[in-house]
Amino acid sequence: MLYLAVCILTCNCTGPSSDYHDPSLPSEKRAEILLGKMTLHEKCLQLQNRYIGSVSDIAQVFKGESVGTVHNMSGDAHMCRDLMDSVQRYMLTATRLAIPVLPCVEGIQGILQDGCTLYPCALALGSTFNPDLVREATSQMAAEARAMGLHQILSPVLDIARDLRWGRVEETFGEDPFLIGKMGTAFIEGYQGEGDMTCTPKHFVAHGSPTGGLNCASVPGGQRELRSLYLYPFRKVISETSPLSVMSCYSSYDGVAVTGSRYYMTDILRGELGFDGYVYSDWGSVERLYNFHHSVLSPADAAAKALMAGVDINIDSTSQTIEEQVLDGTLDEKYVDEAVLRILTVKFKLGLFDDPFSKEGPVRDGRSVALSEKVAQESAVLLENNGILPLDFSTVRSICVVGPNASQTVYGDYSWTTSDTREGISLLQGLSQVLPPSVALSYEKGCDHWSQDASGIDAAVRKASQSDVIIAAVGTRSTYLARNPVYSTSGEGFDLSSLDLPGRQQELLERLAITGKPLVVVLISGKPLAIPWVKENADALLVQWYGGEMQGKVLAQILTGEVNPSGRLNVSFPRSTGATPCYYNYLPTDKDYMGNTGGTLDEPNDRYIFESCYSLWPFGYGKSYSTFEWSDFECSAMDDGIHVSMSVSNRSDRDGKETVQVYVHDKVSSVALPCKQLKAFQKKEVRAGETKRFGMVIPYSELTLFDEEGKEVLEKGEFEIMAGPSSEEILFTGTLTL
């Protein structure tokens, strides 16, 4: 009520002319009325984003004018709340039409403001195979955003992690479009649950499979691959969650720079997928049409091309040329009007004209931290275990922890933390908290995470040789705010030419193994690495994609048996860099050939000569401390789809969570389809000695394909329905004729 009074006073208008303040009108109508009152200059400002650093900067930055979106990602949460409220108050009282701004923030692993809860990265969210948990987590993240007056979340990443050299694998939900669609839908539903916030799925489209794994490089492919693979997650989340914004990408697809393409940004995104919000450019992606893709003659041409393509808010300085281009007649004002109408409509739909301010409540509380811990618990993946885990303290009296990721909590690239990451719990700290007093704990770094400096390895080996068990924490490190990016080995812009363990970490592991002590490897990483030596030589391997602020506590809980691991691989591990890509959903022609699946150093063969062409650990794989037995598989075609069910019994004395995965193979198809495709999954806790029934329905729409003419069709024929605990371990197969 206070806001409405201030707004009417500012506009100095009554009666029909103030209709756009009437909340009873549809958002589209309110936006249309407001657009009619705006000057060209005011409209062009709505196409722009502004960075705002402090409350004292507001008048100088805005000069009595409103813009489309604003951001601040460099301050703490409480400063952000004061800043965003002050900006909105300024818009109400110091601008002609009192148009609120839309505050944006990154939100891949919690809200990107210092002082917010640090959650596990997106890759870890994907490895939970638990959409309900992801939805619960992002709902809590939304509460933190709401407490700071933030309304647009620049997430989730719907890119598909098919080239593991790419640095941004950690930001994705994995390699499978179906899993990405499920996790992306849950992610957005949690954030958008109260209707005052929009997610911004990105990067539209096909950004995550760059040539050579180099960030922003071109993506090859055709129209069938586009629709079958890269569009799938976007189609899913747009149809099921109706996000009000989408982010364009830096890259080109099949030689066409996507941000400047009306075919991609309008015909496909809005026409084919039904998106009805506004497009927010990736930062600098418009200007790159000029200086990166070289598809236009000037920055001004880039701005015009992107706007006409359907990019509404332009996050670089080229947006400032739009007004002049309209005035000199080189750009039709209708494109400005189309974009501004979409932006204003979103602001009305989010309720910003009625209440743009932060909501009461703490930015961070115990529930947030507990959820971060729960996600970390369900995302860690146990890949190897010869019985050493969980640690038995009747025989283990001393533990030596070594490795560059042991004494520091490791976060992903879109998180805020100080350079020493004291906000989180490291593995070393976690172990010190949970180990019984009878167990001695020692530590030696051994080597860093990137360099060729091996001077500390001897000391680590000496200390480790005096312990009963060695725990080696190795992996990658990513750039995050407040940390120098120089030595990053993962994250945006930090791509790897080799997927071997960076630096001297492999040498450290091999030297530790020579001691003869049991060796437990903990891989804390933003991506899978090529570590066949670990598979062959370590006593156990536990993987944690950057696990958030509770990372070290959770790893210690799993190592000591307090928590039973339940994560499953959402991205396959390669045998070597040269054996990539190694995703599970390959075409029939792409692996096995005439019965040959590769050779060894001792017995060369073809497909590859010296090693298998299959992954080291496949998609969907993960061990548990429990033993599960599957039975009573049923599969039938019903009116609403294919019904699949089976019973799972826990034959151990430990409660655990099992993940049932259902894959489909179209046995004969007019175009090439993968050997198997994930089409359903379900995760449940099965207590010791208990049997539970799992049941899933696969809609027939999941069995369609895009034929050689680009039409989506459901072809008649036989379909194999396969169920198992991973993409390679198929326990039941049924065949249905449709």
Side-chain angles (χ1 to χ4, degrees), residues 49 71 73 154 247 250 280-285 288 315-316:
N49 173 82
H71 75 278
M73 302 179 195
L154 303 177
M247 184 182 290
Y250 289 124
Y280 181 98
S281 78
D282 206 343
W283 290 19
S285 64
R288 292 188 186 195
I315 316 301
D316 62 46

Side-chain angles (χ1 to χ4, degrees), residues 44-320:
C44 289
L45 288 173
Q46 288 298 306
L47 308 179
Q48 299 178 21
N49 173 82
R50 289 281 187 279
Y51 168 78
I52 179 67
S54 67
V55 173
S56 62
D57 295 336
I58 291 175
Q60 181 180 358
V61 169
F62 295 104
K63 298 180 174 63
E65 299 170 329
S66 177
V67 298
T69 60
V70 298
H71 75 278
N72 176 290
M73 302 179 195
S74 59
D76 66 38
H78 299 288
M79 182 277 283
C80 178
R81 172 159 51 194
D82 293 341
L83 178 60
M84 294 309 165
D85 281 350
S86 297
V87 169
Q88 299 289 24
R89 200 170 294 112
Y90 179 88
M91 294 301 148
L92 305 187
T93 60
T95 67
R96 187 177 77 88
L97 294 173
I99 302 174
V101 295
L102 208 170
C104 305
V105 70
E106 296 284 354
I108 293 177
Q109 48 196 319
I111 301 303
L112 183 63
Q113 298 292 157
D114 191 16
C116 294
T117 308
L118 285 158
Y119 283 82
C121 70
L123 197 62
L125 296 181
S127 66
T128 66
F129 274 69
N130 190 341
D132 291 339
L133 179 58
V134 170
R135 186 182 299 106
E136 185 180 6
T138 54
S139 177
Q140 188 64 30
M141 296 176 200
E144 296 191 0
R146 202 170 285 115
M148 291 179 280
L150 301 169
H151 294 274
Q152 181 177 351
I153 309 301
L154 303 177
S155 299
V157 172
L158 301 183
D159 298 330
I160 300 174
R162 298 198 118 196
D163 193 320
L164 301 176
R165 294 170 295 179
W166 187 47
R168 301 186 76 172
V169 168
E170 66 193 52
E171 297 178 37
T172 75
F173 292 122
E175 71 184 39
D176 180 74
F178 181 84
L179 178 66
I180 294 169
K182 285 290 186 183
M183 292 301 181
T185 296
F187 185 100
I188 295 172
E189 287 174 342
Y191 263 119
Q192 295 185 172
E194 296 194 14
D196 58 352
M197 195 170 300
T198 180
C199 281
T200 308
K202 58 186 184 183
H203 305 86
F204 192 83
V205 62
H207 183 67
S209 300
T211 298
L214 292 171
N215 193 45
C216 302
S218 62
V219 179
Q223 290 300 305
R224 281 199 63 258
E225 189 168 15
L226 176 73
R227 285 175 172 80
S228 303
L229 187 67
Y230 299 119
L231 285 180
Y232 180 94
F234 286 95
R235 183 185 297 112
K236 180 69 69 174
V237 303
I238 288 170
S239 66
E240 297 191 9
T241 70
S242 300
L244 297 176
S245 59
V246 163
M247 184 182 290
S248 68
C249 66
Y250 289 124
S251 55
S252 65
Y253 183 74
D254 195 22
V256 177
V258 176
T259 290
S261 168
R262 189 167 180 84
Y263 172 68
Y264 289 116
M265 304 312 305
T266 295
D267 296 348
I268 290 183
L269 178 59
R270 294 187 168 94
E272 191 171 320
L273 302 190
F275 173 68
D276 64 357
Y278 72 79
V279 174
Y280 181 98
S281 78
D282 206 343
W283 290 19
S285 64
V286 173
E287 187 172 18
R288 292 188 186 195
L289 296 176
Y290 164 69
N291 60 21
F292 184 59
H293 294 287
H294 307 292
S295 62
V296 293
L297 293 174
S298 69
D301 289 344
K305 187 176 180 66
L307 181 65
M308 290 187 291
V311 176
D312 303 307
I313 290 186
N314 176 355
I315 316 301
D316 62 46
S317 60
T318 63
S319 61
Q320 298 170 20

Side-chain angles (χ1 to χ4, degrees), residues 564-709:
N564 192 348
S566 65
R568 299 293 181 264
L569 287 184
N570 48 334
V571 60
S572 305
F573 268 72
R575 294 180 181 273
S576 65
T577 307
T580 56
C582 63
Y583 46 81
Y584 85 94
N585 48 349
Y586 52 85
L587 299 180
T589 55
D590 294 352
K591 295 292 183 183
D592 187 5
Y593 177 70
M594 303 297 288
N596 295 330
T597 59
T600 67
L601 292 176
D602 295 327
E603 294 188 16
N605 204 332
D606 56 6
R607 308 289 275 200
Y608 294 103
I609 294 174
F610 295 121
E611 67 179 357
S612 169
C613 58
Y614 293 95
S615 61
L616 194 62
W617 292 283
F619 176 88
Y621 184 76
K623 289 177 174 288
S624 169
Y625 294 152
S626 300
T627 301
F628 298 106
E629 182 180 288
W630 294 30
S631 62
D632 301 327
F633 173 75
E634 293 182 353
C635 175
S636 59
M638 307 294 283
D639 290 343
D640 59 342
I642 296 175
H643 288 232
V644 182
S645 62
M646 72 285 297
S647 296
V648 175
S649 303
N650 187 339
R651 300 304 188 192
S652 67
D653 59 0
R654 184 186 291 269
D655 298 344
K657 294 183 174 72
E658 177 66 304
T659 300
V660 169
Q661 302 159 45
V662 180
Y663 298 86
V664 173
H665 174 221
D666 188 346
K667 295 184 70 173
V668 178
S669 54
S670 62
V671 294
L673 294 177
C675 290
K676 58 174 72 80
Q677 299 180 81
L678 181 70
K679 290 301 178 183
F681 61 88
Q682 192 173 60
K683 185 176 188 177
K684 288 185 179 183
E685 182 177 33
V686 186
R687 297 187 180 277
E690 183 182 33
T691 297
K692 276 191 176 179
R693 192 72 180 168
F694 287 65
M696 290 147 280
V697 178
I698 302 173
Y700 292 116
S701 59
E702 290 293 343
L703 306 182
T704 61
L705 57 80
F706 289 92
D707 65 17
E708 59 184 320
E709 295 178 354

Side-chain angles (χ1 to χ4, degrees), residues 281-571:
S281 78
D282 206 343
W283 290 19
S285 64
V286 173
E287 187 172 18
R288 292 188 186 195
L289 296 176
Y290 164 69
N291 60 21
F292 184 59
H293 294 287
H294 307 292
S295 62
V296 293
L297 293 174
S298 69
D301 289 344
K305 187 176 180 66
L307 181 65
M308 290 187 291
V311 176
D312 303 307
I313 290 186
N314 176 355
I315 316 301
D316 62 46
S317 60
T318 63
S319 61
Q320 298 170 20
T321 68
I322 294 296
E323 182 177 355
E324 182 180 350
Q325 293 188 71
V326 173
L327 290 173
D328 66 20
T330 59
L331 178 64
D332 194 325
E333 190 173 352
K334 73 174 185 180
Y335 294 109
V336 174
D337 289 346
E338 287 175 355
V340 174
L341 189 62
R342 288 192 283 257
I343 294 164
L344 294 177
T345 299
V346 169
K347 291 184 177 183
F348 279 114
K349 284 184 176 181
L350 295 178
L352 298 185
F353 281 84
D354 306 311
D355 181 8
F357 298 108
S358 63
K359 302 300 183 288
E360 292 186 6
V363 169
R364 168 190 167 94
D365 58 24
R367 174 174 164 77
S368 298
V369 178
L371 268 173
S372 176
E373 181 176 346
K374 188 175 181 181
V375 173
Q377 290 172 342
E378 291 207 24
S379 64
V381 188
L382 181 64
L383 293 182
E384 295 293 332
N385 184 22
N386 66 5
I388 188 68
L389 297 180
L391 295 172
D392 181 357
F393 296 117
S394 66
T395 57
V396 175
R397 300 297 183 181
S398 60
I399 298 173
C400 184
V401 181
V402 300
N405 284 350
S407 64
Q408 181 167 334
T409 314
V410 185
Y411 301 112
D413 60 355
Y414 276 88
S415 59
W416 176 278
T417 180
T418 55
S419 58
D420 60 3
T421 64
R422 60 177 174 268
E423 293 90 341
I425 299 174
S426 69
L427 172 60
L428 187 62
Q429 291 170 324
L431 285 168
S432 68
Q433 293 172 6
V434 304
L435 290 179
S438 60
V439 178
L441 181 66
S442 61
Y443 163 71
E444 193 71 41
K445 185 176 181 179
C447 66
D448 61 37
H449 67 280
W450 68 276
S451 80
Q452 296 301 308
D453 182 4
S455 60
I457 292 180
D458 286 345
V461 172
R462 283 195 299 270
K463 185 169 289 188
S465 65
Q466 301 169 13
S467 66
D468 293 331
V469 172
I470 305 168
I471 298 176
V474 295
T476 63
R477 294 264 192 99
S478 296
T479 295
Y480 34 77
L481 294 181
R483 173 174 175 245
N484 190 321
V486 172
Y487 303 126
S488 296
T489 53
S490 185
E492 183 171 5
F494 295 91
D495 313 308
L496 292 173
S497 58
S498 169
L499 292 173
D500 296 339
L501 277 166
R504 306 300 286 271
Q505 295 181 82
Q506 180 63 40
E507 179 181 345
L508 173 65
L509 293 180
E510 292 177 7
R511 292 281 306 281
L512 292 171
I514 294 174
T515 66
K517 303 292 184 177
L519 175 62
V520 176
V521 176
V522 178
L523 180 71
I524 303 173
S525 178
K527 64 172 67 180
L529 297 173
I531 49 174
W533 183 93
V534 174
K535 181 180 179 69
E536 296 167 3
N537 294 278
D539 295 279
L541 171 61
L542 178 62
V543 173
Q544 175 61 280
W545 316 126
Y546 305 140
E549 61 184 79
M550 304 303 287
Q551 177 184 99
K553 177 182 178 182
V554 167
L555 289 171
Q557 290 171 335
I558 294 173
L559 292 170
T560 58
E562 181 181 341
V563 168
N564 192 348
S566 65
R568 299 293 181 264
L569 287 184
N570 48 334
V571 60

